[in-house]
């Protein structure tokens, strides 16, 4: 089956500014060879620390980041070969929800106007727009009496519901959710995650779900891709990755999640992360995780481990996986 969205060896190298005569401009290797597939109806999470290239990956699919190398396909269509009109049409199929609803919403527009924006741009009649806005508000759990409110009169969770309603206005098939609950209180986070899950079941949506927090993706993602310094280092079905993480980085991320079970036998080994993410301006020659890995061997500083299939459905980029 053709994937809905597919990244093939995607590289995004942001150009920097040259600092002086004769010196080449530095390049940030934000995304450095990402392979990833999302099937129809599936949620794939991309998880990793801040600065590892998650947003740049999503933005490349949205046309907001330059593709240095590799390809992105939507239903088998190479995005780099689309005309301007085809690219605009694709916006109906692929939408985005960013972290900060305050930045995403024009403070002067009412809730109804904000949700209506994409419909108006696509030439819908006023009567059709009004009906669709009512339906969308009900779909995302907003009250009709919130129609004429402005974003600042809403709570953070309600604002994110407006952003989600607007993203769904043109019935997309895929929504890129970039840290959609990171700006919200923990109690509100689960409400928005449950909303996204319900919408997926009702509308058959697919999500590319980006988060720095592994615990957030546990209940929403079918598959998890763990990203480190521009590459995916582990990939697999969510339950399997949580039950038996194989890459030292995934193990460290998981061990940082507080465990509700504190009985002595249930307590997990703690493998905490030391040091910082290396600079993507000068990524290590060998394994990108070598500088922080507690089980690194001499080969790890010299050679890049390839992504290897482990079992039917797991992939790990490590010379010495668990
Ligand atoms: N527009 C840009 N121009 C230059 N560098 C960028 C730009 N956007 C992101 N970067 C750099 O690319 C790297 C990855 O950033 P990003 O994709 O935002 O990571 P994440 O979403 O995982 O936090 C970072 O080093 C960041 O500073
Ligand atoms: S390849 Fe080596 S340095 Fe990299 S994660 Fe595996 S053991 Fe650690
Ligand atoms: Mg980001």
């Amino acid at each position: 089956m053709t994937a809905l969205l597919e990244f093939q060896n995607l590289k995004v190298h942001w150009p920097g500014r040259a600092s002086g005569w004769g010196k080449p401009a530095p390049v940030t290797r934000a995304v450095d060879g990402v392979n990833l597939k999302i099937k129809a109806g599936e949620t794939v999470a991309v998880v990793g620390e801040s600065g590892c290239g998650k947003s740049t990956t999503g933005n490349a699919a949205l046309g907001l980041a330059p593709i240095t190398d590799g390809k992105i396909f939507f239903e088998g269509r190479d995005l780099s070969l689309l005309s301007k009109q085809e690219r605009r049409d694709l916006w109906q199929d692929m939408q985005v929800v960013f972290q900060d609803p305050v930045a995403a919403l024009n403070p002067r527009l009412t809730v109804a106007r904000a949700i209506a924006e994409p419909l108006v741009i696509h030439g819908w009649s006023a009567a059709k727009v009004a009906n669709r806005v009512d339906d969308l508000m009900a779909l995302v759990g907003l009250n009709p009496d919130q129609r004429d409110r402005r974003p600042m009169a809403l709570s953070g969770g309600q604002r994110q519901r407006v952003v989600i309603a607007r993203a769904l206005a043109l019935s997309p098939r895929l929504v890129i959710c970039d840290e959609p609950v990171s700006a919200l209180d923990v109690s509100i986070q689960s409400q928005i995650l449950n909303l996204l899950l319900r919408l997926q079941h009702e509308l058959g949506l697919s999500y590319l779900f980006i988060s720095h927090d592994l615990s957030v993706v546990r209940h929403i993602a079918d598959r998890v891709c763990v990203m480190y310094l521009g590459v995916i280092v582990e990939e697999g079905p969510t339950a399997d990755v949580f039950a038996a993480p194989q890459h030292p980085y995934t193990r460290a991320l998981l061990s940082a999640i507080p465990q509700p079970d504190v009985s002595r036998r249930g307590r997990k080994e703690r493998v905490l992360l030391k040091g910082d993410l290396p600079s993507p301006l000068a990524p290590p020659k060998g394994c990108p995780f070598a500088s922080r890995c507690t089980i690194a061997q001499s080969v790890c500083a010299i050679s890049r481990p390839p992504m290897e299939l482990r079992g039917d459905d797991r992939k790990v980029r490590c010379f010495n996986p668990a």
Side-chain angles (χ1 to χ4, degrees):
M1 191 171 67
T2 310
L4 192 56
L5 183 67
E6 178 170 2
F7 298 85
Q8 274 182 12
N9 193 30
L10 177 72
K11 294 186 182 176
V12 178
H13 296 173
W14 293 107
R17 278 214 200 115
S19 56
W21 288 104
K23 276 195 185 165
V27 170
T28 302
R29 301 168 81 99
V31 181
D32 214 13
V34 159
N35 291 290
L36 189 153
K37 277 186 193 179
I38 305 175
K39 290 184 275 184
E42 191 181 39
T43 297
V44 175
V46 175
V47 180
E49 281 164 286
S50 176
C52 71
K54 307 179 297 296
S55 293
T56 303
T57 303
N59 286 344
L62 294 162
L64 304 174
I67 298 176
T68 308
D69 199 6
K71 291 204 176 294
I72 307 178
F73 299 89
F74 191 87
E75 276 202 314
R77 284 184 300 157
D78 181 343
L79 297 194
S80 70
L81 301 180
L82 298 185
S83 66
K84 272 202 175 138
Q85 184 58 45
E86 286 170 325
R87 183 86 223 187
R88 229 172 282 137
D89 291 346
L90 187 72
W91 271 100
Q92 296 196 31
D93 276 329
M94 185 162 56
Q95 283 286 327
V96 61
V97 172
F98 287 116
Q99 171 174 345
D100 183 2
V102 176
L105 294 171
N106 180 337
R108 289 191 297 269
L109 293 189
T110 62
V111 166
R113 290 268 311 276
I115 297 173
E117 250 185 334
L119 302 168
V120 172
I121 291 169
H122 273 79
W124 285 40
S125 71
K128 270 180 79 186
V129 168
N131 282 336
R132 179 75 177 141
V133 168
D134 288 345
D135 291 349
L136 286 162
M137 287 183 66
L139 186 68
V140 301
L142 288 166
N143 291 325
D145 64 8
Q146 290 165 327
R147 249 181 157 272
D148 298 321
R149 299 255 179 94
R150 309 222 180 238
M152 290 326 279
L154 302 176
S155 68
Q158 287 166 345
R159 280 196 285 266
Q160 201 57 309
R161 286 175 198 263
V162 175
V163 171
I164 293 168
R166 187 179 59 181
L168 297 180
L170 293 165
S171 305
R173 296 163 64 204
L174 178 104
V175 182
I176 297 182
C177 301
D178 190 345
E179 307 268 9
V181 299
S182 300
L184 305 175
D185 290 347
V186 174
S187 57
I188 310 295
Q189 287 190 354
S190 54
Q191 291 176 17
I192 297 295
L193 291 173
N194 286 336
L195 170 67
L196 290 171
L197 271 173
R198 178 170 62 74
L199 292 170
Q200 176 169 51
H201 291 141
E202 285 179 19
L203 307 173
L205 292 169
S206 303
Y207 295 130
L208 171 59
F209 193 100
I210 293 170
S211 176
H212 68 279
D213 185 348
L214 251 179
S215 60
V216 162
V217 311
R218 183 170 203 155
H219 298 292
I220 195 161
D222 300 299
R223 304 179 60 75
V224 181
C225 298
V226 179
M227 195 162 175
Y228 190 84
L229 211 63
V231 291
I232 292 170
V233 295
E234 176 155 14
E235 182 185 339
T238 308
D240 297 355
V241 172
F242 273 79
Q246 297 186 8
H247 195 282
Y249 181 57
T250 316
R251 283 152 51 80
L253 285 181
L254 272 172
S255 69
I257 298 176
Q259 298 291 320
D261 180 357
V262 290
S263 70
R264 267 183 178 274
R265 267 198 290 148
R267 194 177 289 171
K268 290 210 172 150
E269 171 200 5
R270 302 278 283 172
V271 191
L272 291 175
L273 270 175
K274 57 177 171 120
D276 296 322
L277 193 72
S279 167
L281 280 167
K285 189 165 141 257
C287 172
F289 191 56
S291 63
R292 300 164 86 188
C293 183
T294 52
I295 55 166
Q297 306 156 337
S298 48
V299 61
C300 305
I302 309 162
S303 309
R304 282 226 147 191
M307 191 64 141
E308 274 178 4
L309 198 60
R310 305 252 301 169
D312 291 341
D313 218 7
R314 300 282 298 272
K315 285 184 195 161
V316 186
R317 189 186 286 280
C318 175
F319 290 123
N320 187 22

